Amino acid sequence: MTFDSMWSAIEPIGLEASSGGYRRYAWTRHDAALREWFAGEAAARGLDLVTDRAGNQWAWWGDPDAAVAAGRPGVVIGSHLDSVPDGGAFDGPLGVVSALAVVDALKAKGFAPSRPVAVVNFVDEEGARFGIACAGSRLITGKLEADKARGLRDADGVTMAEAMAAAGHRVEHVGPDAETLSRIGTFVELHVEQGRALIDLDRPVAVASVIRPHGRWRIDLDGEANHAGTTRLEDRRDPMLDLARTVLAARAAATELGCVATVGKVRVEPNGVNAIPSRVTAWVDARGPEETGVRAVVEAVARQSGSPAVEESWTPETVFDESLAQRLSAVLDDAPMLATGAGHDAGVLAAAGLSTAMLFVRNPTGISHSPAEFAEREDCLRGVEALTTVTEVLAR
Ligand SMILES: [Zn+2]
């Protein structure tokens, strides 16, 4: 089983011909196919497959509980297999396939780990179906309440509980999972780079330093619905003009304060081509190096839009285990340290107090969450090598 054969095995699953992107959503038939593939890979390597209370899959090489009893819990590597709507091939699967390839590489060289090693497949990382990112890791750490999760609905009105049950997961077991967490001594998630840095640094692999603070806000812009042909310009209350101001304000404030801000989703009522809208709702996603800067961006946007920005989610800065990051950078030939603006299961586990780290594999264009997401095969293999080195150092 090589990296390439694993990659080809999952390549067709959930691929949407019309867009060339992936639609691999949690607890669907595509997800089931990927989970079955993962279980098969675990079995082929003689790994013990454990599914936790949230549905995350853990493939253990060695006895995790004996290691907990001995005070030396395991080394976990892996990522997720689900995707955003029309996502790329690499975000998630690169980390899972690489982790399985690491087990092969370590076994091939006769390495006998003194701590057990696991490959994890986190469920529902992207939140594409039920709207909450990192649901699998948030559930086991208690960051997402079980009852709330069970009641979340997808676009067709199906609840997460119904979707889990249909996929054969025991819904009544969903909840915080201290036993699973206790088995994790260290978690290292390898991930395709999102954003462009490594190409300019001429390096194939980086180590993550922090996940930048980020949040989502909703702004409701009210106006008055009226006829597009008969209403004089001076008589109009057109919230679409406020939306235009809001979008430009987001760009200007982000530029001035060294952040990024995006209006990627709007809802227009009544959304008719010949009607002045009665209401426009805009969602602002803002991220930056410091919380104060991000919040200043959102305040400026709200001020100029004339309406308050209602916070829908907020994630403070996540700092990965600093000494671990430095140690990994050192064993990887002084790999550069990169901050990221994207959330990950590794970030959720870090926020829950576990020792976690991330490796990023060069993405030449930086494009992610798109069919254009890419990494050279050569760089993927160098990622496997880097993760092999790291796992060997940590499990020695
Ligand atoms: Zn991801």
Side-chain angles (χ1 to χ4, degrees):
M1 291 158 286
T2 62
F3 180 91
D4 296 307
S5 65
M6 287 191 273
W7 198 253
S8 333
I10 59 168
E11 211 158 29
I13 302 173
L15 182 60
E16 180 67 27
S18 63
S19 65
Y22 286 93
R23 297 182 188 170
R24 295 166 166 169
Y25 308 147
W27 306 113
T28 60
R29 73 186 164 87
H30 294 318
D31 191 44
L34 291 162
R35 294 168 68 82
E36 202 182 309
W37 169 81
F38 183 82
E41 293 299 308
R45 290 168 177 79
L47 310 177
D48 297 321
L49 188 70
V50 181
T51 302
D52 68 20
R53 298 180 65 177
N56 306 303
Q57 294 176 299
W58 308 78
W60 282 100
W61 174 16
D63 181 349
D65 295 324
V68 170
R72 297 197 77 221
V75 177
V76 180
I77 52 181
S79 189
H80 61 95
L81 293 173
D82 67 321
S83 79
V84 295
D86 292 328
F90 296 83
D91 181 348
L94 183 61
V96 176
V97 170
S98 297
L100 290 165
V102 165
V103 172
D104 294 340
L106 291 177
K107 287 191 168 184
K109 63 159 80 167
F111 176 70
S114 76
R115 296 165 67 181
V117 173
V119 179
V120 65
N121 168 31
F122 277 107
V123 72
D124 201 5
E125 195 273 345
E126 300 287 6
R129 185 169 176 193
F130 297 102
I132 301 233
C134 301
S137 55
R138 281 185 210 270
L139 273 170
I140 58 169
T141 54
K143 279 280 161 63
L144 170 59
E145 224 196 303
D147 279 336
K148 186 183 171 188
R150 281 189 280 254
L152 293 170
R153 284 178 192 278
D154 70 7
D156 298 322
V158 178
T159 64
M160 188 186 276
E162 289 162 352
M164 283 175 164
H169 187 67
R170 291 171 72 178
V171 177
E172 67 277 15
H173 278 208
V174 171
D177 194 332
E179 188 185 17
T180 292
L181 295 177
S182 72
R183 293 171 169 173
I184 309 169
T186 308
F187 173 48
V188 183
E189 180 171 5
L190 178 145
H191 205 277
V192 68
E193 180 186 18
Q194 297 169 292
R196 235 186 81 115
L198 288 177
I199 187 87
D200 297 328
L201 295 170
D202 196 24
R203 296 292 298 261
V205 174
V207 177
S209 53
V210 300
I211 296 179
R212 296 193 178 112
H214 53 279
R216 294 176 185 181
W217 290 263
R218 191 189 75 245
I219 301 181
D220 294 310
L221 305 163
D222 288 314
E224 187 176 43
N226 212 330
H227 196 288
T230 60
T231 316
R232 297 187 307 173
L233 291 179
E234 57 266 40
D235 293 337
R236 295 179 183 211
R237 280 182 55 221
D238 184 350
M240 198 62 95
L241 298 180
D242 298 323
L243 173 69
R245 273 189 283 277
T246 301
V247 175
L248 293 173
R251 178 61 178 251
T255 305
E256 193 191 318
L257 292 158
C259 296
V260 291
T262 308
V263 179
K265 179 178 171 181
V266 294
R267 187 171 63 211
V268 181
E269 295 164 45
N271 208 23
V273 68
N274 56 356
I276 298 160
S278 58
R279 176 180 259 210
V280 174
T281 302
W283 281 267
V284 181
D285 176 305
R287 310 174 189 224
E290 312 243 346
E291 174 166 352
T292 47
V294 177
R295 295 207 179 269
V297 167
V298 177
E299 275 161 34
V301 173
R303 202 164 45 242
Q304 291 189 54
S305 75
S307 298
V310 181
E311 186 176 300
E312 293 201 331
S313 74
W314 172 254
T315 306
E317 180 184 53
T318 306
V319 183
F320 290 108
D321 184 332
E322 227 175 296
S323 66
L324 175 64
Q326 272 160 14
R327 194 169 156 213
L328 300 196
S329 165
V331 298
L332 298 176
D333 222 351
D334 290 323
M337 304 267 236
L338 291 183
T340 177
H344 297 283
D345 293 308
V348 173
L349 295 188
L354 290 166
S355 172
T356 69
M358 290 190 75
L359 302 183
F360 294 127
V361 170
R362 175 163 55 195
N363 174 343
T365 61
I367 293 175
S368 178
H369 283 188
S370 144
E373 183 180 273
F374 184 66
E376 297 284 356
R377 176 178 177 273
E378 189 58 33
D379 284 350
C380 293
L381 297 182
R382 290 166 87 173
V384 172
E385 271 171 37
L387 189 60
T388 304
T389 303
V390 161
T391 307
E392 196 172 357
V393 166
L394 294 172
R396 191 174 282 153

